[in-house]
Amino acid sequence: MPSHPSSITPAMSDMSYRGLLSLQGRVFVVLGAGQGIGEQVSHALSECGATVVCVDSDPWRAQAVAETVHGIPVSADITQASDMERVFQTASALPASGPLGLVDVVGMVIPNDLTHGTESGWSRQFQLVLDHAWLAMRVGARAMQGRGGSMVFIGSIAGTVVRSGAALAYASAKAALHHLVKGVAQDLAPQGIRVNAVAPGLTRTPRLVASNPDSFWTTEAARIPLRRVGMPSDIAAAVLFLSSPLADFVTGQILAVDGGSSLASGGGFNLAASGPAPT
Ligand SMILES: NC(=O)c1ccc[n+]([C@@H]2O[C@H](COP(=O)([O-])OP(=O)(O)OC[C@H]3O[C@@H](n4cnc5c(N)ncnc54)[C@H](O)[C@@H]3O)[C@@H](O)[C@H]2O)c1
């Protein structure tokens, strides 16, 4: 008589899904931890037991977030290779029993259309979205060698649906980031290093809230299938999943967290004004 399927998988009853959310004994580097999505990600990782290295180019923000999550502040400009090396040296020196984690949040729109945009604006956009991700992957992969790890990058719905006009350079850089994530995931999988991205739709981050009137958010919420814009906590929850052992068999994926926006042709919302670009 054939045995019941459950009798050949006795380990299933021993699974603790709650335990798979635990990040005890793990160190996570959060690049751009100082506000918005990075700040929420730092809270989420810390609440699940991780020690968080809170990295920001603004030393006060790095310090403030590190204090609230009992993490380690690092003031660094992650577009600079020497700063990226210093960040991972700090993380590697911390006591930890588990794999090393990385979450890279840094990126913003520099409006730059084809006709009126500039060559320097195009290069700066790729530096601010793509180049530091490549650097973080290289330096991070070295630090994760022999212990395994997880990397999560913040992409965008703009890298998935076609964006043109002022968003042309930003969308192109985010699309390249999504592709880079998939390629590096393939390269690093044999070393036990997972690489994924979260692609947010329109999200109420402090920088965008400061640059856009209430009417913008109301109009855009009505265009999103779930009838609201995203919150930093929505993005942090997806990052937490991908960073945790719950996602131990997930790599090379771009997880859309956009209320269904990317299901519609055109992506379902307009580009937000994003304030001045950092110099
Ligand atoms: N808000 C949205 O609607 C939306 C939609 C899609 C994607 N995103 C993505 O979300 C991310 C931005 O999230 P946010 O708005 O919460 O963050 P943010 O732009 O407010 O910045 C987060 C932190 O990064 C720091 N930072 C900037 N440049 C840095 C550098 N060179 N080195 C170190 N730190 C640096 C800033 O000081 C800041 O504290 C970006 O990758 C963006 O493309 C946002």
Side-chain angles (χ1 to χ4, degrees):
M1 189 175 139
S3 58
H4 188 274
S6 65
S7 67
I8 57 170
T9 55
M12 279 182 78
S13 60
D14 298 334
M15 285 296 294
S16 161
Y17 291 96
R18 197 195 301 248
L20 292 178
L21 248 188
S22 171
L23 302 176
Q24 288 291 341
R26 298 189 184 207
V27 170
F28 275 80
V29 171
V30 179
L31 304 175
Q35 68 173 11
I37 293 170
E39 183 178 3
Q40 273 304 313
V41 165
S42 301
H43 279 282
L45 297 172
S46 160
E47 202 178 311
C48 290
T51 300
V52 183
V53 179
C54 303
V55 182
D56 207 284
S57 52
D58 180 329
W60 302 109
R61 286 185 191 164
Q63 182 70 38
V65 174
E67 266 171 30
T68 56
V69 303
H70 309 293
I72 288 89
V74 176
S75 166
D77 174 359
I78 58 134
T79 61
Q80 303 302 312
S82 56
D83 278 22
M84 190 71 85
E85 296 280 357
R86 180 164 55 83
V87 164
F88 278 97
Q89 275 161 15
T90 304
S92 299
L94 293 169
S97 51
L100 182 62
L102 161 70
V103 182
D104 187 353
V105 177
V106 173
M108 67 181 285
V109 177
I110 300 177
N112 201 52
D113 69 27
L114 187 65
T115 311
H116 304 103
T118 61
E119 230 178 292
S120 65
W122 174 266
S123 305
R124 181 87 183 108
Q125 181 67 85
F126 273 73
Q127 189 190 26
L128 212 52
V129 165
L130 189 66
D131 297 359
H132 61 79
W134 180 81
L135 203 53
M137 287 165 173
R138 267 167 76 93
V139 181
R142 237 184 291 130
M144 289 173 188
Q145 237 165 35
R147 66 191 279 194
S150 147
M151 304 183 182
V152 179
F153 293 83
I154 303 300
S156 174
I157 182 178
T160 307
V161 297
V162 174
R163 293 282 188 206
S164 54
L168 183 65
Y170 175 73
S172 302
K174 286 291 188 182
L177 174 62
H178 292 182
H179 200 82
L180 181 69
V181 161
K182 293 179 191 184
V184 173
Q186 206 166 23
D187 282 344
L188 297 183
Q191 297 171 44
I193 302 171
R194 299 183 300 104
V195 188
N196 291 289
V198 172
L202 183 60
T203 307
R204 271 185 78 88
T205 55
R207 190 165 49 76
L208 296 198
V209 168
S211 310
N212 294 276
D214 288 349
S215 57
F216 168 82
W217 297 100
T218 311
T219 306
E220 294 309 318
R223 292 154 55 92
I224 296 170
L226 284 178
R227 297 289 181 266
R228 71 172 178 87
V229 300
M231 298 301 289
S233 55
D234 292 315
I235 313 307
V239 170
L240 178 62
F241 163 69
L242 289 172
S243 300
S244 77
L246 279 170
D248 258 356
F249 203 46
V250 180
T251 196
Q253 299 305 304
I254 314 299
L255 177 54
V257 181
D258 62 0
S261 295
S262 52
L263 301 173
S265 68
F269 67 85
N270 286 317
L271 190 67
S274 71
T279 50

